[in-house]
Amino acid sequence: MGNGVWTGRWFRTSLALLHPNGKHVSWSMVCGVMLFGLGLISLLTGHVASHLEWYSHRLHRRTLSTLDEPIDIWQSQYSKYYYGCEERGRHFGPAVRERKSSGYLLIATSGGLNQQRTGITDAVVVARILNATLVVPELDHHSFWKDDSDFANIFDVNWFITYLAKDVTIIKRVPDKIMRSMEKPPYTMRVPRKSEPEYYLDQVLPILLRRRVLQLTKFDYRLANNLDDELQKLRCRVNYHALRFTKPIRQLGQRVVMKMRKMASRYVAVHLRFEPDMLAFSGCYFGGGEKERHELGEIRKRWTTLPDLSPDGERKRGKCPLTPHEVGLMLRALGFANDTYLYVASGEIYGGDETMQPLKDLFPNIYTKEMLAEEELKPFLPFSSRLAAIDYIVCDESNVFVTNNNGNMAKILAGRRRYMGHKRTIRPNAKKLSALFTSRHEMVWDTFASKVKACQRGFMGEPDEMRPGRGEFHEYPSTCVCEKPFMDDLSQDGTRPKKVL
């Protein structure tokens, strides 16, 4: 029932009660009743109005990607309403001490830096699920990158152990007395991908309790995407706080950032995955004729189980990474001027300078870590993961982060940038853009640009792109992103408001 109708009935009923026989009542009594009624109406409607304003604002923000209003290419106007919130709940118990734990959990990660990062993050959560003591994870030395760096060469191991001390007990190595007391070597097993916590409790915990030391191998994406909120927040504490790079990596990364900011007040970081092996694996064609088909075809022979793919079909499905030229066209169409400063993070670009030249023509101010830190970079050159860590820092600190392919680094950084206040993050809507790039010569530039902007709505890193349960948690950490009341960015004492999501 509407508040106005309810109040009107209350007013008539009150008059009837004051004088049930319908006789004349004093004017002062009528005025008193009217004033009281008006006060009540004001109270009720004011309360309703404030709620209508709040919900209207939330609705506007929830549907902002569907509006025709222009998008600010440098930052989201709604980012200030969101912040990272990974605090443990009151009922999230303390870490189990080593002597009372279920045993020692050894983890062998897999892949490059960012794939290993997901494995480390999930290893901490699995140790928590099993009430196990986690041994600092081992990094993959045998992958394509052939990097023999250990955990302590890339991450601040003491910080890692200390920061997570309330969540999980972590040690650097299994105690010698435990190893000497074992009749058999540590039991080794590989769990299925995306395993639920129940799998670890049913299948892994009994072995851990029996053997005391257990190693899980090829540990990448071996834990389910959707977990309860407290475990998801633990993932965020690990990924966004505990996994801090070593001091030499952090210092060099920040020096590169400062050099970029000295040249321009703001810059765009572009992560280009355009290495020969990556292109060969994709099964796509990039316009290089028979030479390209032969070269990438030879590389594809490394993977005997790869299916035969249709290059045109893969492109229509949005499975092909954008070329450097296509990335440049997308950015110019979105509104980035040719004097924009670009930091390019990449490995070996297939085709080298010839492939990169169209991007340089569109954006002459292009820099890499090799250009900005040539001498300082030399000690890092033999270690691909340490080089990737420097790129990670410079990309994370950028005003805008752009990727040409939704790989591991793109996902990890997209999630981090959402957690850190929805810093502008652009990923190409490759499925729709592919048709535009094919037909771009058939339309004038303004038409092409307008269509690119339309395609990219929903792919610009706006807050409403992230919904609970959508996509990989490492890319969409919705549990760890909270929303501020719009009318109160900061409380009177300058602190952040309480969580509202």
Side-chain angles (χ1 to χ4, degrees), residues 52-306:
L52 284 174
E53 182 183 17
W54 167 236
Y55 286 114
S56 173
H57 179 83
R58 286 174 62 89
L59 180 62
H60 173 68
R61 280 155 56 191
R62 289 288 181 263
T63 59
L64 59 94
S65 64
T66 64
L67 300 178
D68 291 330
E69 64 184 45
I71 295 176
D72 185 333
I73 55 177
W74 287 102
Q75 65 180 12
S76 167
Q77 62 178 307
Y78 301 100
S79 61
K80 64 183 179 180
Y81 299 115
Y82 296 84
Y83 64 95
C85 51
E86 86 303 333
E87 299 87 354
R88 62 183 60 79
R90 290 179 297 174
H91 302 296
F92 196 64
V96 176
R97 294 183 179 179
E98 182 180 347
R99 59 187 176 83
K100 293 184 177 181
S101 70
S102 304
Y104 297 90
L105 186 64
L106 302 170
I107 295 290
T109 61
S110 180
L113 174 68
N114 293 289
Q115 192 172 342
Q116 291 177 357
R117 194 180 186 105
T118 63
I120 295 166
T121 297
D122 288 349
V124 174
V125 179
V126 168
R128 173 78 190 198
I129 291 169
L130 297 174
N131 283 331
T133 296
L134 178 66
V135 180
V136 170
E138 298 177 8
L139 303 188
D140 188 352
H141 296 164
H142 307 290
S143 67
F144 171 81
W145 290 269
K146 299 292 189 298
D147 188 331
D148 61 2
S149 298
D150 291 321
F151 189 102
N153 299 129
I154 299 175
F155 301 106
D156 186 335
V157 65
N158 293 325
W159 171 269
F160 178 73
I161 293 171
T162 302
Y163 193 91
L164 296 169
K166 293 181 179 180
D167 298 306
V168 174
T169 297
I170 306 174
I171 60 175
K172 294 182 180 180
R173 60 194 301 267
V174 178
D176 291 337
K177 64 179 181 179
I178 298 294
M179 296 298 289
R180 287 195 300 267
S181 67
M182 293 173 58
E183 297 178 358
K184 300 178 181 179
Y187 187 86
T188 299
M189 66 181 294
R190 187 185 304 178
V191 299
R193 282 183 169 248
K194 306 293 184 182
S195 293
E196 299 286 342
E198 290 75 19
Y199 177 91
Y200 285 95
L201 293 172
D202 295 341
Q203 303 296 324
V204 179
L205 182 58
I207 299 174
L208 178 62
L209 291 171
R210 186 169 66 249
R211 300 296 295 269
R212 287 294 291 163
V213 182
L214 172 64
Q215 183 178 50
L216 302 181
T217 62
K218 287 284 185 181
F219 203 80
D220 59 337
Y221 299 101
R222 303 289 164 174
L223 183 60
N225 186 51
N226 295 319
L227 305 172
D228 70 59
D229 286 356
E230 287 298 334
L231 292 180
Q232 297 289 52
K233 289 191 174 186
L234 176 54
R235 269 176 162 160
C236 296
R237 289 197 290 278
V238 180
N239 201 359
Y240 306 135
H241 297 280
L243 278 177
R244 186 172 74 175
F245 292 121
T246 60
K247 189 174 181 179
I249 291 174
R250 296 199 313 272
Q251 288 179 334
L252 182 53
Q254 288 301 326
R255 280 197 288 272
V256 175
V257 170
M258 293 309 297
K259 287 184 178 181
M260 287 298 299
R261 288 182 176 161
K262 189 174 181 180
M263 293 184 289
S265 59
R266 55 191 183 182
Y267 68 94
V268 176
V270 181
H271 181 228
L272 283 179
R273 286 300 315 275
F274 213 71
E275 300 89 345
D277 65 300
M278 186 264 188
L279 301 186
F281 189 86
S282 74
C284 299
Y285 173 66
F286 301 93
E290 287 303 316
K291 180 176 181 290
E292 177 191 310
R293 290 189 176 93
H294 174 73
E295 290 175 346
L296 298 187
E298 288 298 307
I299 298 175
R300 278 182 66 82
K301 292 178 181 178
R302 297 176 187 173
W303 299 284
T304 57
T305 58
L306 279 183

Side-chain angles (χ1 to χ4, degrees), residues 10-11 13-20 22-38:
W10 175 88
F11 181 72
T13 303
S14 298
L15 287 177
L17 289 173
L18 284 171
H19 207 296
K23 295 181 181 179
H24 183 71
V25 294
S26 69
W27 180 244
S28 60
M29 185 178 294
V30 172
C31 288
V33 172
M34 290 179 66
L35 288 173
F36 182 79
L38 289 172

Side-chain angles (χ1 to χ4, degrees), residues 416-484:
R416 177 178 176 83
R417 290 171 69 86
R418 288 184 173 101
Y419 177 83
M420 294 297 179
H422 285 88
K423 294 189 289 185
R424 177 66 77 207
T425 303
I426 302 173
R427 57 192 178 95
N429 182 357
K431 189 173 182 179
K432 290 187 176 181
L433 286 176
S434 62
L436 276 178
F437 289 135
T438 301
S439 59
R440 70 179 184 276
H441 297 299
E442 301 171 7
M443 61 187 84
V444 297
W445 174 257
D446 288 346
T447 301
F448 173 75
S450 177
K451 289 181 179 293
V452 168
K453 291 172 184 174
C455 285
Q456 283 301 120
R457 285 193 178 274
F459 293 80
M460 299 289 288
E462 290 287 346
D464 66 340
E465 295 173 14
M466 187 173 66
R467 301 181 184 91
R470 173 182 174 177
E472 291 284 346
F473 183 77
H474 296 291
E475 185 178 7
Y476 297 98
S478 55
T479 308
C480 304
V481 176
C482 293
E483 189 174 357
K484 301 176 186 178

